Amino acid sequence: MKTLLVFDFDHTVIDDNSDTWVIKCTPKQDLPDWLKNTYQKGHWTEYMGRVLSYIGDQGIREDAIRTVMETMPYTAGMIDLLKFISQNKERVDCIIISDSNTVFIDWILHAAGAQCAVDRVFTNPAHFDDRGYLDVQCFHSHSCAQCPVNLCKRKVLEDFLERKLIAGLQYQQTVYIGDGGNDLCPVKSLKKSDVAMPRKGYSLERLISKLNAGDSRHLESRVVGWSSGLDILNEVNSLMKQSCL
């Protein structure tokens, strides 16, 4: 049976935030206060739509944006991990669930030759319109009160697993790798055989610790922290060896 690896993208696969990195392509590498002040909690994607429209208004087009985005740093050890995944597709499936967008993730994966490792990317759809502006839309609507209005990662993961099960594929375990607050909702859906892997020193690790504090555990899955892609690789290797026993 195969193992499913589920990755967040920003501050997980890459070592920064792709939505804020794009600001580096503006003349002052900053946004005006009037634009920053339009952000409303839980509505990040709508805010990014305004940011990208502002970038377009500055005359900045696809080639310039792509050049900047392709300089995004990968988290230490992550490219080695993705190479391992691409070489072991008979044992491992890999998906990304991210609040970034399709254009940024595609560019960044291809810049490192890492696209072959990833089977599916679930993120906000984006495209360049007739003006040459990058337009981003919300991924879906949902009823989860814990998540941003545009993306509930738990719903995405559960829907994906259900479709795979209908198609005749049941994973031996799911390993969820992330860092942020919006990764807690899908982590809470993991089963006893699964593994939650929060990045050490980031908000997901703190939220899980708080959730599991006291006498009762609120997560069924095992929790293994990570600092680099090599930590994740070691865990995946261990799981694969156990499945052969």
Side-chain angles (χ1 to χ4, degrees):
M1 295 176 70
K2 301 181 81 171
T3 293
L4 175 66
L5 302 183
V6 185
F7 286 86
D8 174 44
F9 193 68
D10 294 333
H11 292 293
T12 298
V13 174
I14 54 174
D15 204 16
D16 212 302
N17 185 322
S18 57
D19 280 343
T20 56
W21 194 268
V22 72
I23 297 168
K24 293 178 181 290
C25 72
T26 62
K28 295 183 179 180
Q29 298 191 15
D30 197 6
L31 298 175
D33 288 340
W34 66 261
L35 179 54
K36 294 177 184 177
N37 292 336
T38 66
Y39 171 66
Q40 294 179 315
K41 185 176 175 61
H43 295 266
W44 178 261
T45 301
E46 294 93 330
Y47 169 71
M48 279 307 301
R50 294 188 290 274
V51 170
L52 294 171
S53 180
Y54 170 80
I55 289 173
D57 288 343
Q58 308 311 302
I60 302 164
R61 295 297 183 260
E62 181 174 350
D63 287 348
I65 300 172
R66 180 167 189 162
T67 297
V68 167
M69 297 310 297
E70 288 181 341
T71 66
M72 284 223 67
Y74 275 75
T75 301
M78 198 59 67
I79 291 179
D80 290 332
L81 172 60
L82 292 171
K83 286 179 180 177
F84 173 85
I85 293 169
S86 66
Q87 293 166 358
N88 289 273
K89 298 307 295 179
E90 74 284 355
R91 305 280 304 279
V92 179
D93 282 349
C94 172
I95 65 173
I96 289 172
I97 308 177
S98 168
D99 206 5
S100 180
N101 68 71
T102 53
V103 170
F104 287 174
I105 293 177
D106 182 64
W107 282 347
I108 294 165
L109 289 176
H110 276 81
Q115 71 277 5
C116 295
V118 182
D119 299 291
R120 288 288 303 274
V121 175
F122 299 93
T123 188
N124 303 299
H127 72 283
F128 285 90
D129 64 20
D130 293 339
R131 302 170 298 166
Y133 285 37
L134 182 57
D135 179 65
V136 61
Q137 301 295 322
C138 294
F139 179 76
H140 65 182
S141 59
H142 60 84
S143 58
C144 178
Q146 301 175 52
C147 293
V149 296
N150 64 296
L151 180 64
C152 173
K153 294 186 176 186
R154 176 176 186 156
K155 178 170 174 53
V156 174
L157 177 57
E158 290 181 340
D159 287 351
F160 176 81
L161 291 172
E162 183 179 357
R163 289 193 301 271
K164 286 294 186 179
L165 194 58
I166 291 171
L169 174 59
Q170 183 173 12
Y171 291 104
Q172 183 161 343
Q173 66 263 126
T174 296
V175 181
Y176 191 98
I177 303 132
D179 72 281
N182 63 352
D183 294 311
L184 183 63
C185 188
V187 162
K188 289 163 71 174
S189 74
L190 298 178
K191 305 298 187 289
K192 189 175 181 179
S193 59
D194 299 333
V195 184
M197 298 197 70
R199 189 174 184 181
K200 292 179 180 179
Y202 284 72
S203 57
L204 179 60
E205 182 187 44
R206 293 190 291 272
L207 290 168
I208 289 175
S209 296
K210 184 177 180 180
L211 196 63
N212 281 340
D215 296 330
S216 59
R217 285 181 57 87
H218 293 271
L219 295 182
E220 291 186 36
S221 68
R222 191 161 53 89
V223 178
V224 179
W226 65 276
S227 296
S228 78
L230 297 181
D231 296 330
I232 303 166
L233 178 55
N234 288 336
E235 178 64 24
V236 172
N237 260 323
S238 177
L239 291 171
M240 290 172 63
K241 288 177 182 177
Q242 290 174 27
S243 68
C244 293
L245 297 178

